Amino acid sequence: CSVTATHTINIKQTPVISFTSNTPVCVGSNVNFTNSSSSGIGITYNWDFGAGSVPANSTAQNPTGIKYNSSGSKTVTLTVSNEFGCSASASATITIKSTPVASFTTTAPKCMGDTVDFNNTGTITGVNYSWVLGDGSVPDNSPNENPSGIVYSVAGIKDITLTITDISSGCSATLTQPITIYPKPTVLFSSN
């Protein structure tokens, strides 16, 4: 003896997950994600951007402007859910390149004609330096880590710019800060 029963069941589609990013980028640069996962009414997205990210999470379909405060490999996870309660997750590893730190001190303020020295207090290994030393300086730029003996022939406030570039990552950091060069007094006298 046998009996047969037939029931219709409905299997809902599990979301498909796929995304890309504009990485690798330097620390502090914007990371943008392009989501090519399932889309439509009732689809929700939950992003976890991994260690050192600001913000740490997002529910946007295509999040942009994510920043990382440290370099290295970061694991990004996207979970996509649909209106039927089906969800899927996928992870990808992105690379954040190291960025040097630009910082310096100086012996200024000084008078016109006196020598001014600059001291790099930022990153010192595996980097190149580019100094722009301001109006009236001799020399007016330098590739040295610590330029010294710079002489100014014009008084005033000078904007000094240091750019440090990481040789391996190509990432750079720039700092501009002013120094003051005082005018020398004019001396005139006569006698009989």
Side-chain angles (χ1 to χ4, degrees), residues 21-38:
S21 71
N22 64 330
T23 57
V25 299
C26 303
V27 169
S29 297
N30 288 334
V31 177
N32 303 318
F33 293 92
T34 302
N35 183 356
S36 52
S37 304
S38 299

Side-chain angles (χ1 to χ4, degrees), residues 2 12 17 38 45 53 69 72 81 92-93 107 115 133 151 184 191:
S2 66
K12 303 297 183 183
I17 299 181
S38 299
Y45 307 95
S53 66
N69 57 26
S81 302
T93 300
T107 57
T115 61
L133 299 168
V151 176
K184 288 209 173 193
S191 71

Side-chain angles (χ1 to χ4, degrees), residues 25-27 29 97-100 164-173:
V25 299
C26 303
V27 169
S29 297
K97 300 186 291 184
S98 63
T99 300
I164 299 180
T165 303
D166 187 290
I167 295 169
S168 62
S169 71
C171 298
S172 63

Side-chain angles (χ1 to χ4, degrees), residues 14-19 35-38 78-81 87-91:
T14 300
V16 175
I17 299 181
S18 177
F19 65 91
N35 183 356
S36 52
S37 304
S38 299
L78 171 60
T79 301
V80 179
S81 302
S87 65
S89 295
S91 296

Side-chain angles (χ1 to χ4, degrees), residues 104 106-118 131-142 147-161 177-184:
F104 66 89
T106 176
T107 57
K110 291 284 184 117
C111 295
M112 288 171 43
D114 292 344
T115 61
V116 179
D117 299 331
F118 296 91
W131 294 83
V132 177
L133 299 168
D135 178 44
S137 67
V138 177
D140 59 356
N141 58 55
S142 175
S148 61
I150 310 303
V151 176
Y152 290 85
S153 59
V154 178
I157 296 175
K158 313 295 180 180
D159 286 329
I160 310 303
T161 300
Q177 61 186 35
I179 64 168
T180 300
I181 302 299
Y182 297 125
K184 288 209 173 193

